[in-house]
Amino acid sequence: MTTYILGISCFYHDSAASLIKDGEIISAVQEERFTRKKHDSSFPLKSIKYCLNSQRINLKDISAIVYYEKPLLTFERLLETYIGTAPRGIRSFIASMQVWLKEKIYLKSFIRNEFKKIQKELIPQEKPFIPKLLFSEHHLSHAASAFYPSPFKEAVILCMDAVGEWVTTSAWIGKDNKITPLWEINFPHSLGLLYSAFTYYCGFKVNSGEYKLMGLAPYGDPKYVDLIKDNLIEIKEDGTFRLDMSYFKFHRGFRMTSKRFHNLFKNLPRDENEKITQFYMDIAASIQVVTEEIVLKIVKTLRKETGLSNICLAGGVALNCVANGKILEEEIFDEIWIQPASGDAGTSIGGALFAHYEYFKNTRKIYPQDSMKGSFLGPNFSNEDIINYLNSINATFKSLEDEEIFQKVANLINEGKVVGWFNGPMEFGPRALGARSILGDPRNKKMQSIMNLKIKYRESFRPFAPSILEEDLSSQFDTDVKSPYMLLVSKVKKNLWRDIPETEHCKKGLNKLNIQRSLIPAVTHVDYSARVQTVSKSTNPRYYNLINKFKEITNCPTLINTSFNVRGEPIVCTPQDAYRCFMRTEMDILVLQNQILYKENQINIKMNESWFQEFNLD
């Protein structure tokens, strides 16, 4: 008999639902893609309905629903933290308690009621049926999301994030269908919250702007590393750490950093509208160096303590692909596998898999690559669906066979056009991997600026990632380790570097942006690094064929790949979202599966300029 388990994560950020069938991951999606609210934390109603509808099942077919953490333990942490800091933090405590007493403390009942409504909607004629409701633990869900889909029979698992119930950093051993804890570091000592405190200090949004801080770091000099290590954090030789909480306020207030923190760096937190000065670039560079040092020390300790040769990573800190690249560079473990949805969304998969293996005691199936299926686990739309939609809005388009559309789109990219590429099932997780992507020519020295300022409407300093044919990886980047989920950073190969005139060497800060560093300048960051995605024919054949066609024309096996959205908007989900984004930006071409649309041929739709206000800046 087929067994389905539904995993959900919600109420903090990035709510999501995932469905597994006899241990196989079938579907997974974040709620933000449907509601169009970035990092939406609400109950994932639309995601749950999508998962059920994708298999044409209802709750009677589900063996268990798994919530990704234990809310009462989180409530306990809030109470104990307040008692430890009282009377300071009373305002944030009252605000937090209002939410808890109104909603979260009764979370079990709330979830059951929501599922009753779903089932009533699916089968109105029957009495509501609610499957068994299980609760995992936050870091256990992260660990399960990292180990079970990995190709390893046995591995060390390292989870690092802001905080779960109590835990902020945890190490585990996964073997067959068992996950066993090794050790943990508890709140308030958190590497994720330390990085978020600097994200806040540099004027970016917490739980959203951390990747901006990482992208800003190469523009700075890490001149504050010693100041951070001498004051904010004690790092032991094994990588474990302890924060000096007098420099922070995240445990007792609405802000992340305290007056003492600001005095230490002799500057106030940057306002989001202020210019980014060299000071904040140096701050970003410094905290990135400290983060890498901690991660490397912990990873080296785990290798030494366990003797195991493989490692799995999850948790928000595992999205720091620069730190991940350092682990790879130092060859501490033979192989590394990182959950592509490493943030809280991925815990919906982890919770479901944990129940399948630990609660229901099933034998583990190991897939030779991994079982995330390239992360293409979201909604898919047929050519018929797309054509019906385009006809309904009188859009001008042409339908082409695969071979013809790959040739045409590759030629257009070679001519400098920017293409919205909507292809197959949507990705799960924060990265666009060739299903909902905006593509461009990496050899074009103006392309980074064009795509940042005219298409994405985002900060000019932010780098773009390259998608490269898997077999050509070593021809352009200094690695031979596959990176299908864009979670590893590598240097551009030296033979592609360009000689930089002496006059440009002295450029500082954002002026470095204007230097053409390599033959693929649009994907070469100022330190010659790139966040690489390798594309395989077996996992993503249409995207692979497009890049291959571009290579045949240009001898370049790489495309720029950035997510299909504008700043502050969730990645597009439907053809409607994609068409709207296409028409509102200066994108030249839109490809919806086998349909191609040219901007110049579309009806001149008058766009209300206020559309950009729909999305809160991230």
Side-chain angles (χ1 to χ4, degrees):
M1 183 186 162
T2 302
T3 304
Y4 290 98
I5 300 175
L6 184 69
I8 60 169
S9 59
C10 50
F11 302 131
Y12 292 94
H13 51 86
D14 296 308
S15 67
S18 304
L19 185 68
I20 64 169
K21 177 183 178 183
D22 295 331
E24 180 186 354
I25 302 165
I26 295 295
S27 50
V29 65
Q30 292 130 284
E31 190 71 359
E32 64 163 27
R33 305 296 167 85
F34 299 112
T35 62
R36 313 306 298 151
K37 293 177 191 167
K38 199 159 190 179
H39 306 300
D40 193 347
S41 63
S42 62
F43 182 75
L45 179 66
K46 293 174 189 293
S47 306
I48 292 165
K49 286 182 182 174
Y50 161 72
C51 287
L52 297 174
N53 290 335
S54 73
Q55 295 297 299
R56 296 179 182 174
I57 57 175
N58 62 69
L59 293 178
K60 287 172 80 174
D61 301 301
I62 300 284
S63 300
I65 297 165
V66 189
Y67 187 69
Y68 77 119
E69 68 169 22
K70 292 189 171 164
L72 289 181
L73 286 178
T74 306
F75 187 62
E76 176 190 274
R77 170 179 42 92
L78 289 173
L79 285 177
E80 286 197 23
T81 302
Y82 172 67
I83 290 165
T85 58
R88 292 179 298 175
I90 183 67
R91 284 196 309 133
S92 68
F93 177 75
I94 291 171
S96 155
M97 281 307 104
Q98 282 174 346
V99 176
W100 270 91
L101 295 174
K102 191 176 169 188
E103 300 170 1
K104 293 184 181 174
I105 206 163
Y106 304 110
L107 196 133
K108 190 173 181 179
S109 303
F110 177 84
I111 291 174
R112 289 181 66 82
N113 286 335
E114 289 301 305
F115 275 104
K116 274 184 191 170
K117 289 180 201 167
I118 291 171
Q119 185 70 343
K120 195 169 181 185
E121 195 178 313
L122 291 171
I123 317 180
Q125 68 276 18
E126 291 190 18
K127 194 177 169 186
F129 169 83
I130 307 299
K132 189 186 297 291
L133 181 58
L134 304 174
F135 289 80
S136 178
E137 288 188 13
H138 191 110
H139 267 237
L140 180 57
S141 296
H142 273 310
S145 78
F147 176 64
Y148 290 127
S150 80
F152 309 138
K153 179 178 170 60
E154 188 175 19
V156 172
I157 311 162
L158 176 61
C159 304
M160 299 169 288
D161 67 356
V163 61
E165 296 89 349
W166 275 102
V167 182
T168 66
T169 304
S170 62
W172 313 70
I173 287 182
K175 186 176 181 183
D176 298 323
N177 68 341
K178 293 282 295 179
I179 291 179
T180 310
L182 285 176
W183 53 259
E184 63 189 36
I185 298 172
N186 283 343
F187 184 85
H189 308 290
S190 164
L191 183 56
L193 286 169
L194 174 69
Y195 205 84
S196 292
F198 279 89
T199 301
Y200 162 84
Y201 186 63
C202 288
F204 304 126
K205 199 177 271 185
V206 171
N207 285 333
S208 175
E210 283 76 4
Y211 57 95
K212 293 187 191 179
L213 193 70
M214 185 178 69
L216 188 64
Y219 294 93
D221 296 320
K223 56 174 65 168
Y224 299 107
V225 168
D226 288 342
L227 197 64
I228 293 170
K229 287 162 63 176
D230 291 344
N231 294 277
L232 302 187
I233 185 166
E234 178 194 355
I235 307 169
K236 295 182 181 152
E237 204 42 48
D238 63 2
T240 55
F241 54 86
R242 189 173 180 80
L243 301 181
D244 182 337
M245 296 312 297
S246 64
Y247 289 96
F248 302 96
K249 288 194 82 172
F250 58 75
H251 58 306
R252 58 182 173 85
F254 296 107
R255 291 189 285 132
M256 297 297 289
T257 51
S258 72
K259 195 174 173 184
R260 199 173 178 206
F261 185 108
H262 310 155
N263 290 340
L264 181 69
F265 293 102
K266 300 184 175 59
N267 259 310
L268 289 172
R270 173 183 159 264
D271 182 88
E272 64 178 8
N273 298 314
E274 263 179 64
K275 186 182 172 190
I276 301 174
T277 61
Q278 188 63 47
F279 167 73
Y280 293 104
M281 297 178 207
D282 294 341
I283 285 284
S286 304
I287 189 59
Q288 181 63 32
V289 167
V290 173
T291 301
E292 289 165 18
E293 179 183 330
I294 294 168
V295 171
L296 285 175
K297 280 187 169 178
I298 290 177
V299 169
K300 283 176 184 173
T301 301
L302 287 171
R303 174 72 200 235
K304 196 173 163 188
E305 284 180 352
T306 66
L308 295 175
S309 54
N310 302 319
I311 188 167
C312 300
L313 302 179
V317 179
L319 292 172
N320 192 314
C321 48
V322 181
N324 297 342
K326 299 281 180 188
I327 298 173
L328 198 66
E329 201 177 290
E330 299 231 355
E331 298 181 344
I332 303 164
F333 280 86
D334 295 356
E335 290 196 61
I336 176 171
W337 192 85
I338 308 162
Q339 164 56 242
S342 273
D344 280 1
T347 58
S348 60
I349 285 182
L353 289 172
F354 176 75
H356 179 75
Y357 291 116
E358 289 275 358
Y359 186 84
F360 291 107
K361 307 288 182 198
N362 287 300
T363 304
R364 183 170 168 231
K365 293 174 190 167
I366 301 174
Y367 294 82
Q369 297 299 318
D370 66 62
S371 59
M372 284 295 294
K373 301 179 177 171
S375 216
F376 303 114
L377 297 163
N380 193 10
F381 298 85
S382 66
N383 278 319
E384 189 184 353
D385 292 336
I386 291 166
I387 289 168
N388 286 340
Y389 165 64
L390 292 176
N391 284 331
S392 76
I393 58 168
N394 294 321
T396 305
F397 65 95
K398 273 185 95 171
S399 297
L400 303 174
E401 294 299 317
D402 271 3
E403 196 54 32
E404 193 179 355
I405 206 162
F406 300 148
Q407 182 71 54
K408 196 168 277 296
V409 174
N411 281 331
L412 288 164
I413 293 173
N414 183 38
E415 290 164 14
K417 304 295 186 193
V418 177
V419 176
W421 176 254
F422 185 100
N423 169 46
M426 185 175 67
E427 304 91 340
F428 180 55
R431 306 283 185 239
L433 300 169
R436 304 290 185 274
S437 294
I438 299 174
L439 309 176
D441 184 349
R443 303 165 303 152
N444 188 328
K445 62 184 179 186
K446 292 181 181 170
M447 197 50 77
Q448 182 184 9
S449 172
I450 290 171
M451 289 177 83
N452 265 334
L453 302 177
K454 293 187 174 179
I455 312 290
K456 302 279 286 185
Y457 302 115
R458 68 182 199 182
E459 300 91 339
S460 61
F461 69 85
R462 290 171 63 183
F464 286 109
S467 292
I468 184 167
L469 299 178
E470 191 176 84
E471 62 272 20
D472 287 314
L473 175 62
S474 302
S475 71
Q476 296 211 316
F477 300 99
D478 202 14
T479 180
D480 57 3
V481 177
K482 294 173 194 170
S483 175
Y485 298 120
M486 212 185 270
L487 286 168
L488 295 169
V489 157
S490 176
K491 295 278 184 192
V492 172
K493 203 92 172 172
K494 270 201 171 176
N495 62 350
L496 298 181
W497 291 16
R498 180 181 166 270
D499 288 334
I500 296 176
E502 203 57 42
T503 50
E504 295 193 333
H505 277 291
C506 56
K507 285 187 174 173
K508 286 270 188 186
L510 296 186
N511 288 327
K512 292 179 181 177
L513 258 176
N514 302 321
I515 304 172
Q516 189 185 340
R517 294 169 190 280
S518 80
L519 298 180
I520 44 172
V523 293
T524 306
H525 206 7
V526 292
D527 59 354
Y528 293 94
S529 68
R531 184 160 44 90
V532 181
Q533 179 203 2
T534 51
V535 180
S536 84
K537 193 166 192 171
S538 59
T539 310
N540 195 356
R542 294 188 86 246
Y543 189 39
Y544 176 95
N545 288 334
L546 172 65
I547 302 173
N548 199 35
K549 196 58 79 179
F550 184 73
K551 180 188 169 188
E552 284 174 19
I553 299 167
T554 64
N555 205 29
C556 175
T558 303
L559 290 179
I560 300 173
N561 175 8
T562 186
S563 54
F564 198 153
N565 59 348
V566 296
R567 183 183 176 189
E569 179 189 20
I571 295 175
V572 301
C573 175
T574 63
Q576 289 86 338
D577 299 333
Y579 184 80
R580 197 181 307 122
C581 186
F582 168 63
M583 291 303 292
R584 287 170 166 178
T585 65
E586 295 186 39
M587 221 179 296
D588 302 298
I589 309 291
L590 174 62
V591 177
L592 296 167
Q593 294 285 96
N594 286 81
Q595 286 52 246
I596 186 164
L597 294 87
Y598 294 78
K599 176 68 68 62
E600 65 213 36
N601 295 341
Q602 302 311 305
I603 300 165
N604 190 15
I605 299 173
K606 278 196 174 177
M607 287 289 171
N608 183 343
E609 290 302 316
S610 65
W611 70 268
F612 204 60
Q613 308 303 318
E614 285 176 26
F615 309 114
N616 292 321
L617 296 184
D618 57 359

